[in-house]
Amino acid sequence: MLVKTKVNGEWRTADVWPGASLLYMLREHLGLPGSKNACEQGECGSCSVWLDGELVCSCLVLAAQAHEREVRTVEALATAEGLHPVQEAFVEAGAVQCGFCTPGLIVAVTDLLARDPHPSESSVREHLSGNVCRCTGYVKILDAVRLAADRMGESRA
Ligand code: FES
Ligand code: FES
């Protein structure tokens, strides 16, 4: 079946199996491997993207459900000017080890800071509770969120 979706600002069409996930369409049909496939069961958040502005696990969404809708992926965050502040903060805080969880976390943190520029520690933990990291122990990830919030707050001031 043909699925037409606006992905990172550009209308794209893919000819997918009716049971294909949005994650599979992004990675295998549209050449966007940033969203990771770690569990394919909605448990780890590595595949997080925005669908019409809402954070979803793209492994749990059918590609067909994205027809005529708008998807934004981690690939949309960096620009020609450089990395997104959340990406920079993850690098600076040392919040990346194997990196497999990182795109999903970057998307989730960006989503959180867009809704709540100065989240409490408990809001951060709650918002990231669906993102599993096997490497870092989360301390550096929480450092990165604080750093990104401070930097983005400064640039808004
Ligand atoms: S791959 Fe989608 S939640 Fe783990
Ligand atoms: S850095 Fe390896 S899973 Fe998070």
Side-chain angles (χ1 to χ4, degrees):
M1 65 181 294
L2 280 183
V3 174
K4 186 177 162 207
T5 304
K6 195 173 195 180
V7 182
N8 299 336
E10 188 186 337
W11 284 103
R12 307 280 305 270
T13 302
D15 190 1
V16 302
W17 173 62
S21 69
L22 173 58
L23 177 62
Y24 188 87
M25 181 176 86
L26 291 169
R27 291 178 56 85
E28 307 299 332
H29 289 267
L30 301 182
L32 293 167
S35 312
K36 301 295 179 228
N37 181 356
C39 74
E40 230 174 353
Q41 295 182 359
E43 299 288 345
C44 74
S46 309
C47 61
S48 299
V49 301
W50 289 276
L51 178 61
D52 287 343
E54 292 299 320
L55 206 57
V56 296
C57 290
S58 59
C59 70
L60 292 184
V61 176
L62 289 173
Q65 289 174 278
H67 185 60
E68 301 282 0
R69 296 174 74 185
E70 186 161 358
V71 172
R72 206 164 147 242
T73 72
V74 69
E75 283 92 347
L77 295 179
T79 65
E81 281 74 55
L83 294 176
H84 186 280
V86 173
Q87 293 172 311
E88 279 180 353
F90 267 67
V91 173
E92 280 185 44
V96 180
Q97 287 189 28
C98 80
F100 214 76
C101 67
T102 308
L105 275 161
I106 298 280
V107 167
V109 172
T110 304
D111 183 76
L112 170 65
L113 296 182
R115 294 169 197 276
D116 180 1
H118 302 291
S120 64
E121 173 103 10
S122 60
S123 305
V124 174
R125 287 176 182 269
E126 170 71 26
H127 198 80
L128 301 185
S129 60
N131 291 82
V132 175
C133 174
R134 293 180 180 175
C135 307
T136 65
Y138 298 96
V139 172
K140 302 264 183 204
I141 291 170
L142 295 172
D143 289 347
V145 177
R146 273 188 291 273
L147 185 58
D150 290 348
R151 292 268 174 81
M152 291 167 78
E154 280 164 20
S155 70
R156 272 189 292 266

Coordinates of all heavy atoms in Angstrom, one line a residue, residues 86-138:
V86 N 20.0 20.4 22.7 CA 19.9 19.1 23.5 C 21.0 18.1 23.0 O 21.6 17.4 23.9 CB 18.5 18.5 23.3 CG1 18.4 17.1 24.0 CG2 17.5 19.5 24.0
Q87 N 21.2 18.1 21.8 CA 22.3 17.2 21.3 C 23.7 17.6 21.8 O 24.5 16.8 22.3 CB 22.3 17.2 19.7 CG 21.1 16.5 19.1 CD 21.0 16.7 17.6 OE1 21.2 17.8 17.1 NE2 20.7 15.6 17.0
E88 N 23.9 18.9 21.8 CA 25.2 19.4 22.3 C 25.3 19.1 23.8 O 26.4 18.7 24.2 CB 25.2 21.0 22.1 CG 25.6 21.4 20.8 CD 25.7 22.9 20.6 OE1 25.3 23.6 21.6 OE2 26.1 23.4 19.6
A89 N 24.2 19.2 24.5 CA 24.3 19.0 26.0 C 24.6 17.5 26.2 O 25.4 17.2 27.2 CB 23.0 19.4 26.6
F90 N 24.1 16.6 25.5 CA 24.4 15.2 25.6 C 25.8 14.9 25.4 O 26.5 14.1 26.1 CB 23.5 14.3 24.7 CG 22.2 13.9 25.4 CD1 21.2 14.8 25.7 CD2 22.0 12.5 25.7 CE1 20.0 14.4 26.3 CE2 20.8 12.1 26.3 CZ 19.9 13.0 26.6
V91 N 26.4 15.5 24.4 CA 27.8 15.3 24.1 C 28.7 15.9 25.2 O 29.5 15.2 25.8 CB 28.2 16.0 22.8 CG1 29.7 16.0 22.5 CG2 27.5 15.3 21.6
E92 N 28.3 17.1 25.6 CA 29.2 17.8 26.7 C 29.1 17.1 28.0 O 30.1 17.1 28.8 CB 28.8 19.3 26.8 CG 29.3 20.1 25.7 CD 29.0 21.6 25.9 OE1 29.1 22.1 27.1 OE2 28.6 22.2 24.9
A93 N 27.9 16.6 28.4 CA 27.7 16.0 29.7 C 28.2 14.6 29.7 O 28.2 13.9 30.7 CB 26.2 16.0 30.1
G94 N 28.6 14.0 28.5 CA 29.1 12.6 28.5 C 27.9 11.7 28.7 O 28.1 10.6 29.3
A95 N 26.8 12.0 28.1 CA 25.6 11.2 28.4 C 25.4 10.2 27.3 O 24.3 9.6 27.2 CB 24.3 12.1 28.4
V96 N 26.4 9.9 26.5 CA 26.3 9.0 25.4 C 27.4 7.9 25.6 O 28.6 8.3 25.7 CB 26.5 9.7 24.0 CG1 26.4 8.7 22.9 CG2 25.5 10.8 23.8
Q97 N 27.0 6.7 25.6 CA 28.0 5.6 25.6 C 27.9 4.8 24.3 O 28.4 5.2 23.3 CB 27.9 4.7 26.9 CG 28.4 5.5 28.1 CD 28.5 4.7 29.3 OE1 28.7 3.5 29.3 NE2 28.4 5.3 30.5
C98 N 27.1 3.7 24.3 CA 26.9 3.0 23.0 C 26.1 3.9 22.0 O 26.2 3.7 20.8 CB 26.3 1.7 23.2 SG 24.5 1.7 23.4
G99 N 25.2 4.7 22.6 CA 24.5 5.7 21.7 C 23.2 5.1 21.2 O 22.4 5.8 20.5
F100 N 22.9 3.8 21.5 CA 21.7 3.3 20.9 C 20.4 3.9 21.4 O 19.4 4.1 20.7 CB 21.6 1.8 21.2 CG 21.0 1.0 20.0 CD1 21.7 0.8 18.9 CD2 19.7 0.6 20.1 CE1 21.1 0.1 17.8 CE2 19.1 -0.1 19.0 CZ 19.8 -0.3 17.9
C101 N 20.4 4.3 22.7 CA 19.2 4.9 23.2 C 19.1 6.4 22.9 O 18.1 7.1 23.2 CB 19.2 4.8 24.8 SG 20.5 5.7 25.6
T102 N 20.3 7.0 22.5 CA 20.4 8.4 22.4 C 19.4 9.2 21.5 O 18.8 10.2 22.0 CB 21.9 8.8 22.0 OG1 22.8 8.1 22.9 CG2 22.1 10.3 22.2
P103 N 19.2 8.7 20.3 CA 18.2 9.5 19.5 C 16.8 9.6 20.2 O 16.2 10.6 20.2 CB 18.1 8.7 18.2 CG 19.4 7.9 18.1 CD 19.8 7.6 19.6
G104 N 16.4 8.5 20.8 CA 15.1 8.5 21.4 C 15.1 9.4 22.6 O 14.1 10.2 22.9
L105 N 16.2 9.4 23.4 CA 16.3 10.3 24.5 C 16.3 11.8 24.1 O 15.7 12.7 24.7 CB 17.5 10.0 25.3 CG 17.3 8.9 26.4 CD1 18.6 8.3 26.8 CD2 16.5 9.4 27.6
I106 N 17.1 12.0 23.0 CA 17.2 13.4 22.5 C 15.8 13.9 22.1 O 15.4 15.1 22.4 CB 18.1 13.5 21.3 CG1 19.5 13.1 21.6 CG2 18.1 14.8 20.6 CD1 20.4 14.1 22.3
V107 N 15.0 13.1 21.4 CA 13.7 13.5 21.0 C 12.8 13.7 22.2 O 12.1 14.7 22.3 CB 13.0 12.4 20.1 CG1 11.5 12.6 19.9 CG2 13.7 12.4 18.7
A108 N 12.9 12.8 23.2 CA 12.0 12.9 24.4 C 12.4 14.2 25.2 O 11.5 14.9 25.7 CB 12.2 11.7 25.3
V109 N 13.7 14.4 25.4 CA 14.1 15.6 26.1 C 13.7 16.9 25.4 O 13.2 17.9 26.0 CB 15.7 15.6 26.4 CG1 16.1 16.9 27.0 CG2 16.0 14.4 27.3
T110 N 13.9 16.9 24.1 CA 13.5 18.1 23.3 C 12.0 18.3 23.4 O 11.5 19.5 23.6 CB 13.8 17.9 21.8 OG1 15.2 17.6 21.7 CG2 13.5 19.1 20.9
D111 N 11.2 17.2 23.4 CA 9.8 17.4 23.6 C 9.5 17.9 25.0 O 8.6 18.9 25.1 CB 9.1 16.0 23.5 CG 7.6 16.0 23.6 OD1 7.0 16.4 22.6 OD2 7.1 15.6 24.6
L112 N 10.1 17.4 26.0 CA 9.9 17.9 27.4 C 10.2 19.4 27.5 O 9.4 20.2 28.1 CB 10.8 17.1 28.4 CG 10.8 17.7 29.8 CD1 9.4 17.6 30.5 CD2 11.8 16.9 30.7
L113 N 11.4 19.8 27.0 CA 11.8 21.2 27.2 C 11.0 22.2 26.4 O 10.8 23.3 26.7 CB 13.3 21.4 26.9 CG 14.2 20.6 27.8 CD1 15.7 20.8 27.4 CD2 14.0 21.0 29.3
A114 N 10.3 21.7 25.3 CA 9.4 22.5 24.5 C 8.1 22.8 25.3 O 7.5 23.8 25.2 CB 9.1 21.9 23.2
R115 N 7.7 21.8 26.1 CA 6.5 21.9 26.9 C 6.8 22.5 28.3 O 5.9 23.2 28.8 CB 5.9 20.5 27.2 CG 5.4 19.8 25.9 CD 5.0 18.4 26.1 NE 5.0 17.7 24.9 CZ 3.9 17.6 24.1 NH1 2.8 18.2 24.5 NH2 3.9 17.0 22.9
D116 N 7.9 22.3 28.8 CA 8.3 22.8 30.2 C 9.8 23.1 30.2 O 10.6 22.3 30.4 CB 8.0 21.7 31.2 CG 8.3 22.1 32.6 OD1 8.7 23.2 32.8 OD2 8.1 21.3 33.5
P117 N 10.1 24.4 29.9 CA 11.5 24.8 29.8 C 12.3 24.6 31.1 O 13.5 24.5 31.0 CB 11.4 26.3 29.4 CG 10.0 26.5 28.9 CD 9.2 25.5 29.6
H118 N 11.7 24.6 32.2 CA 12.4 24.4 33.5 C 11.8 23.3 34.3 O 11.2 23.5 35.4 CB 12.4 25.7 34.3 CG 13.0 26.9 33.5 ND1 14.3 27.0 33.2 CD2 12.4 28.0 33.0 CE1 14.5 28.1 32.5 NE2 13.4 28.7 32.3
P119 N 11.9 22.1 33.8 CA 11.3 20.9 34.5 C 11.9 20.6 35.8 O 13.2 20.7 36.0 CB 11.4 19.8 33.5 CG 12.6 20.1 32.7 CD 12.7 21.6 32.6
S120 N 11.1 20.2 36.8 CA 11.7 19.7 38.0 C 12.4 18.3 37.7 O 12.1 17.7 36.7 CB 10.6 19.5 39.1 OG 9.7 18.5 38.6
E121 N 13.2 17.9 38.7 CA 13.9 16.6 38.6 C 12.8 15.5 38.4 O 13.0 14.6 37.6 CB 14.7 16.4 39.8 CG 15.3 15.0 39.9 CD 16.8 15.0 39.6 OE1 17.4 16.1 39.4 OE2 17.4 13.9 39.5
S122 N 11.8 15.6 39.2 CA 10.8 14.5 39.1 C 10.0 14.5 37.8 O 9.7 13.5 37.2 CB 9.8 14.6 40.3 OG 9.1 15.8 40.2
S123 N 9.8 15.7 37.2 CA 9.2 15.8 35.9 C 10.1 15.2 34.8 O 9.6 14.5 33.9 CB 8.9 17.2 35.4 OG 8.2 17.9 36.3
V124 N 11.4 15.4 34.9 CA 12.3 14.9 34.0 C 12.3 13.4 34.1 O 12.2 12.6 33.1 CB 13.8 15.4 34.2 CG1 14.8 14.7 33.3 CG2 13.9 16.9 34.0
R125 N 12.4 12.9 35.3 CA 12.4 11.4 35.5 C 11.1 10.8 34.9 O 11.1 9.7 34.3 CB 12.6 11.0 36.9 CG 14.0 11.3 37.4 CD 14.1 11.0 38.9 NE 15.5 11.3 39.4 CZ 16.5 10.4 39.4 NH1 16.2 9.2 39.0 NH2 17.7 10.8 39.8
E126 N 10.0 11.5 35.2 CA 8.7 10.9 34.7 C 8.6 10.9 33.2 O 8.3 10.0 32.6 CB 7.6 11.8 35.3 CG 6.2 11.6 34.7 CD 5.6 10.3 35.2 OE1 6.0 9.8 36.3 OE2 4.7 9.8 34.5
H127 N 9.1 12.1 32.6 CA 9.0 12.2 31.1 C 9.9 11.2 30.4 O 9.6 10.8 29.3 CB 9.3 13.6 30.7 CG 8.9 14.0 29.3 ND1 7.6 14.3 29.0 CD2 9.5 14.0 28.1 CE1 7.4 14.6 27.7 NE2 8.6 14.4 27.2
L128 N 11.0 10.9 31.1 CA 12.0 10.0 30.4 C 11.8 8.5 30.9 O 12.6 7.7 30.5 CB 13.4 10.4 30.7 CG 13.8 11.8 30.2 CD1 15.3 12.1 30.4 CD2 13.4 12.0 28.8
S129 N 10.7 8.3 31.6 CA 10.6 6.9 32.2 C 10.4 5.9 31.1 O 10.6 4.7 31.4 CB 9.4 6.9 33.2 OG 8.2 7.3 32.5
G130 N 10.0 6.3 29.9 CA 9.8 5.3 28.8 C 11.0 5.1 28.0 O 11.0 4.4 27.0
N131 N 12.1 5.8 28.4 CA 13.4 5.6 27.6 C 14.4 4.8 28.4 O 14.8 5.3 29.4 CB 13.9 7.0 27.2 CG 13.1 7.8 26.3 OD1 12.1 8.4 26.7 ND2 13.4 7.7 25.0
V132 N 14.7 3.7 27.8 CA 15.7 2.8 28.6 C 17.1 3.0 28.0 O 17.3 2.9 26.8 CB 15.2 1.3 28.4 CG1 16.2 0.4 29.0 CG2 13.8 1.1 29.0
C133 N 18.0 3.1 29.0 CA 19.4 3.2 28.6 C 20.1 2.1 29.4 O 20.0 2.0 30.6 CB 20.1 4.5 29.0 SG 21.8 4.5 28.7
R134 N 20.9 1.2 28.7 CA 21.5 0.1 29.4 C 22.9 0.5 29.8 O 23.6 -0.3 30.5 CB 21.6 -1.1 28.4 CG 20.3 -1.7 28.1 CD 20.4 -2.9 27.2 NE 19.1 -3.4 26.9 CZ 18.9 -4.4 26.1 NH1 19.9 -4.9 25.4 NH2 17.7 -4.9 25.9
C135 N 23.4 1.6 29.4 CA 24.9 1.9 29.7 C 25.2 3.0 30.7 O 26.1 2.8 31.5 CB 25.5 2.4 28.4 SG 25.3 1.4 26.9
T136 N 24.4 4.1 30.7 CA 25.0 5.2 31.4 C 24.6 5.3 32.9 O 25.2 6.1 33.7 CB 24.4 6.5 30.8 OG1 23.0 6.6 31.0 CG2 24.7 6.6 29.3
G137 N 23.6 4.6 33.4 CA 23.1 4.8 34.7 C 22.3 6.0 34.9 O 21.9 6.3 36.1
Y138 N 22.0 6.7 33.9 CA 21.1 7.9 33.8 C 21.6 9.2 34.5 O 21.1 10.2 34.3 CB 19.7 7.5 34.5 CG 19.0 6.4 33.7 CD1 19.1 5.1 34.2 CD2 18.3 6.7 32.6 CE1 18.5 4.1 33.5 CE2 17.6 5.7 31.9 CZ 17.8 4.4 32.3 OH 17.1 3.4 31.6

